[in-house]
Amino acid sequence: MSAVLGSERPQVVSHVQQALSYTVFDCKWVPRSARLMCLGSAARGTGVIQLYELRGARLEVLREIEKPKPIKCGTFGATSLQQRYLATGDFDGNLNIWNLEAPEIPVYSVKGHKEIINSIDGVGGLGIGEGAPEIVTGSRDGTVKVWDPRQNDTPVANMEPVQGESKRDCWTVAFGNAYNQEERVVCAGYDNGDIKLFDLKTMSLRWETNIKNGVCSVEFDRKDINMNKLVATSLEGKFHVFDMRTQHPAKGFASVSEKAQKSTIWQVRHLPQNRDIFMTSGGSGSLHLWKYEYPAQRSKKDSEGSEMGVAGSLSLLQNVTLSTQPISSLDWSADKKGLCVCGAFDQTVRVLIVTKLNKI
Amino acid sequence: MPLWLREHSWRQTLTAVYLSLPLRGARATAANIFCSEQYLKVSVPPFLFEAVLYAPIDDTNSTAKIGNGNIFFTLYKKEPAMWDSLTLANADKEKLQHLRENAVLKAQEKAKEETKAKKITKQEHKKYALMATMKVEEAERKRIEDLKEKEREKVTKELELWKNQQKDGDKYKSIQTKEELHQEIESLKERKNEKMNKTRIPNEGSSKTRLKSTRGHGSCSIFSQDLKEEQLPAPRAAATIKVNFTPRVFPTALRESRVAEEEEWLYKQAEARRIINSDLSELEDLKEEEKNPDWLKDKGNKMFAMGDYLGAVNAYNLAVRLNNKLPVLYLNRAACHLKLRNLHKAIEDSSKALELLTPPVPDNENARVKAHVRRGTAFCQLELYTEGLQDYEAALKIDPKNKIIEKDAEKIRQLIQGAMQSS
């Protein structure tokens, strides 16, 4: 923690810490509540879903569900507020959607991939945005697949390697640009440093680039607006912020990059209440809170007259080290500003509160 | 010889003796005065004043005032008694010396004790300072902890408040929805009654119209549902996008810091493969053992021993093609070339061998000596005696005890001198 508490910088206060008996891979707030989900892998090789409620200074276990395969990731992004079904991806490549009131049988289940599903994202639910609810999964088998819960067995979009090409692991996926019913974009990051942007309306590759280090996490600042900013974090402690408003035909999107830590940056998450603030979590167990400042002019013309984006600048608001192990998952609460949960590989889940975010 | 100062004057009280000593122009400092319990000495070169006192005094409290060409002593007596005289009258030399020595010793001891005492006080002061700083730091830390605690409490309270709000909100919402449901059910009931009335009256109506009316009203209840579903577009038409990846040989993730290492590894692999594959077509005819550079080297050595120099050269050539990093092959080939009088080739091969033997360590001394000698011989046979001598001297440097090399080096030197003389 920073020693200078008297200043106006946001402080990261550790509210609750809970030791778990399994490895936690993902933790998510249940929308519209003070409850959170932890997903992971127990020592005996089975998957665990735990539902906690924040009560006073403690986390109380409400439910504990065991599944045959370890679970790697989950999202509430594609369900309605009334249903609040959890979509999970597991180590075997299965995508399941669970009703937490009746978790024995999944509401939707498909063996989407041949290998572990590394990352999952959902859009169209929770009253955010418009369009069909969809779930995208990225897997070690090199494919990215988009699923509609109303359609069984086959994905509605499949981004797979060309025949004969050797595959690269897809490590992260994110939805974006879902500002009306037709538009939608999927961004995928791979272990060889590739970032690819797929446009689902035209079913084509809209942009790709390589950031020279394996991409651990990508996120748009908001899923349901015209795509504004994309943050991609990678190995070797670097992350890039792309300005997605202006695409140059040859140079793509403008970006600013920062080398924050010596170790891998595992996750990036934008504050739901302020899209210019985001938190990155690192392999050394530290969290960095960043603010992006827009440049005076977001786009300019280059020598041939085509529009080129201008990237802004980043400032570090706060940084705190919570653990000695990587913090692999992070989630802000959409209901209370500054409340977030993070799960680390030291088998603990921590609820943190970031103060003074109103003053930024 | 010091000048004795005799013109002192003194007076006494019961407890103290006041001694006044004129200095006659000389300047005195505290270092010139030496005082112990019973002995007083003032030595300002060239003057000397010495007094063995009548009775012991308290030398720590006594004072000496230096000024006005005068030293004024205030000596406090240990025992309050009147002295007959300032000094002991019948003091003989030995006694005096004894006393002097004692005095000096005593003074030394006192000095030692003083230094010890000083040390102890110093240590105590240090400890005290340390404790003080520790306290201050503790206080600071505590202050920060308190601030943090306060923040935490504040934030926890806010959270609780928010949670309660949530719960109330939920309750309120659930009550509302219940009410709404109630209303809906009632309105549905009404509509049903209406429908029934309407359908009952035109009983003779055609089936179509009845159906129409029922359908019209029946769809009222599912109308709301349809609306909701229509708000969600149909699932997307399935499609595939083909993806190309930035090529990468290694299955591991790309890291910038490892790129250099990876490049080097790939380069080495490529080279090795090239060497193996380049002569593949020709080498297919050879037997397995003939592809082994070591076996070929042995074969070459045997042929050299037997005098088949051309055959040896061939064997070495093939070995070099397979593995061009073995210095011994070049060395031996140089020897063959020497015998064949291919002097330039001999020089080339010895040079290549020396290159490969670059880290000059004791292990490859022999090889380097051989290389130098062979190259030297080749130079001499080409009549480049100076270069030859250089190589021989290099060989001698590595192995100074070798008589043959020494003799040959001498010969070359003489040859050079002879050549210089004649030219």
Side-chain angles (χ1 to χ4, degrees), chain A residues 5 13 15 32 34 54-56 131-132 134 148 150 155-162 165-166 168 171 181 184 190-192 194 196 198 200 203 210 212-214 235-236 238 335-336 353 355-356, chain B residues 144 147-148 151-152 155-156 158-160 162-163 166-167 170 173 229-259:
Chain A
L5 268 181
V13 176
H15 180 62
R32 292 284 190 279
L54 194 59
R55 286 204 194 139
E134 279 174 345
D148 189 315
R150 300 166 295 177
V156 296
N158 181 1
M159 289 67 141
E160 60 182 12
V162 163
E165 171 117 6
S166 63
R168 303 303 319 181
W171 277 356
Q181 292 201 354
R184 208 159 274 183
Y190 297 84
D191 73 333
N192 64 346
D194 280 345
K196 298 187 190 294
F198 303 105
L200 294 182
M203 281 299 178
N210 186 303
K212 310 277 184 292
N213 282 299
L235 305 172
E236 315 258 301
K238 286 209 181 135
D335 308 304
K336 169 107 179 83
I353 302 174
T355 59
K356 300 204 187 90
Chain B
I144 293 177
L147 278 169
K148 280 189 198 165
E151 280 275 338
R152 211 175 294 168
V155 141
T156 319
E158 276 182 30
L159 202 57
E160 281 304 312
W162 168 72
K163 260 193 52 198
Q166 285 283 340
K167 277 206 194 127
D170 277 341
K173 261 194 227 149
E229 272 192 25
E230 266 173 45
Q231 285 172 357
L232 290 178
R236 226 174 270 277
T240 314
I241 306 176
K242 292 291 182 188
V243 165
N244 281 311
F245 295 113
T246 310
R248 182 168 164 78
V249 174
F250 300 91
T252 53
L254 176 63
R255 277 170 204 269
E256 268 184 317
S257 56
R258 295 281 167 84
V259 169

Side-chain angles (χ1 to χ4, degrees), chain A residues 289-336:
Chain A
L289 188 66
W290 300 89
K291 180 166 167 61
Y292 179 81
E293 265 125 35
Y294 294 96
Q297 280 206 312
R298 282 187 76 171
S299 73
K300 59 178 187 202
K301 288 215 186 281
D302 72 347
S303 49
E304 283 134 33
S306 29
E307 290 280 328
M308 203 166 77
V310 178
S313 62
L314 286 165
S315 62
L316 177 64
L317 294 176
Q318 185 56 272
N319 119 39
V320 60
T321 302
L322 296 172
S323 163
T324 52
Q325 299 292 325
I327 296 183
S328 59
S329 60
L330 188 56
D331 191 35
W332 294 101
S333 164
D335 308 304
K336 169 107 179 83

Side-chain angles (χ1 to χ4, degrees), chain B residues 212-231:
Chain B
K212 237 201 237 167
S213 54
T214 51
R215 216 192 312 143
H217 285 282
S219 66
C220 223
S221 50
I222 54 170
F223 182 62
S224 46
Q225 261 188 338
D226 258 349
L227 196 60
K228 269 203 199 124
E229 272 192 25
E230 266 173 45
Q231 285 172 357

Side-chain angles (χ1 to χ4, degrees), chain A residues 127-141:
Chain A
I128 301 174
E130 308 175 41
E134 279 174 345
I135 297 172
V136 64
T137 54
S139 159
R140 193 190 286 168
D141 65 5

Side-chain angles (χ1 to χ4, degrees), chain A residues 77-99:
Chain A
T79 65
S80 63
L81 279 172
Q82 291 83 14
Q83 291 174 328
R84 291 188 279 186
Y85 293 160
L86 175 68
T88 61
D90 70 12
F91 274 45
D92 221 19
N94 299 313
L95 166 67
N96 293 314
I97 301 184
W98 308 98
N99 178 352

Side-chain angles (χ1 to χ4, degrees), chain A residues 218-237:
Chain A
V218 285
E219 200 195 33
F220 284 95
D221 56 354
R222 287 278 181 277
K223 291 187 238 199
D224 54 336
I225 57 170
N226 198 351
M227 42 182 202
N228 188 31
K229 292 200 309 298
L230 171 72
V231 179
T233 71
S234 74
L235 305 172
E236 315 258 301

